[in-house]
Amino acid sequence: MQTCTRCLMDETVPNIVFDDNGYCNLCNEYLIRAQNEIWTHPDELGSLIDSVKKSRISKQDYDCVMGVSGGVDSCYALVVAVQNGLRPVAVHLDNGWNSNIAVRDIKNLLDRLKVPLVTEVLDWQGFRDLQVAFVKSGIPNWEIPTDHMITATLYRMAKRFSVKYILTGGNMTSEAIMPKSWMYDSRDATLIRSICAEHGALLRGRINIMSFLELAHAVFIKKIKYLPLLNYVHYDKEAAKQLLIDKFGWQDYGGKHYESIFTRFFQGYVLPLKYNIDKRKAYVSCAIMADQISREQAMKILDGPPMCESQIRIDRLYLLKKLRLSDKEFEDIMDAPNKSYFDYRNEGFIWGYRSGKSGVVMEKIRRFATKGV
Ligand SMILES: [Zn+2]
């Protein structure tokens, strides 16, 4: 098993390539993206903030919509926005899986920042059926339903509040190294509908999937921008975490995206066991590339298992009960052959997951939606 000599990505990633130095294609691509997508010169942040402020129509209460999950990234992004004089409305998606700590963290933070919160509560039965369809699908991203609904909700809220900016806690420093084969574009409505149809989930009237046309309307007609605010500041995650703890009573829940119990179990148990994917490798590799931890520190983090046995047992019981799956059904799902996104109908040609003209449209949307100022 070859491991990159600079980051910690290894041959568990399909199609990983190493150059003569032993550096992998993922961290090489990171360096190129970092040059183009991190704008930490103070002028860049200043002009973004100006543009957001100017976009507010007088008498309006807000100038941007910001998603908040309760995690470090989205919480810290809110702090940056408020410190720079923006007037955000925070939007939280309740998909039924939030840990109590995350909910309390959000409330504490927003109270102190005096930022109003809108919580979008999904129809639980509808969302459960959608999630179960993905759990049965065999594809390695069971988080597509949640990610899709977060994006859809943010665009819909931006329209509702007539704002032109959606600012998120997305950032290069902790997310930019993520192999394509581990993920898929959660905006692909055709994939979602196809998986639902095949695995018996009825969405009609319960869960409102965002079609490509709805997204294109928001991006090109309404000209709503979707920007990762933390790419505009020097984002040091550990320092940000400490600030949230010291000033906002924020509590650590021990793992990236572990604010949701579903995510914790999926990343800590399902992905390593069923798909041979340990997402921690990508997270620590990002941190190495962003000079936030040493390669040796990162190796220590990966030494232990992603999740301890007792937590696995607790979460598994909780998850199966909530999804109404029996032990046998779940074991069959874990033993079933894995599938690819392309075993289902999809819009891969739009989202950059096909060869040939792949990604032309996605690239246009990305450029258009993220050209901040
Ligand atoms: Zn590498």
Side-chain angles (χ1 to χ4, degrees), residues 4 7 24 27:
C4 176
C7 72
C24 74
C27 61

Side-chain angles (χ1 to χ4, degrees), residues 117-154:
L117 172 69
V118 181
T119 300
E120 174 80 358
V121 183
L122 295 179
D123 175 290
W124 169 243
Q125 286 181 5
F127 191 69
R128 183 188 60 211
D129 289 355
L130 174 57
Q131 272 192 315
V132 168
F134 271 78
V135 166
K136 290 178 177 170
S137 71
I139 64 165
N141 190 350
W142 297 1
E143 296 285 8
I144 285 177
T146 297
D147 293 344
H148 181 91
M149 292 314 297
I150 289 173
T151 310
T153 303
L154 290 174

Side-chain angles (χ1 to χ4, degrees), residues 223-234:
K223 298 194 163 51
I224 296 167
K225 308 285 185 196
Y226 197 104
L227 297 169
L229 181 60
L230 298 183
N231 281 356
Y232 289 80
V233 296
H234 284 289

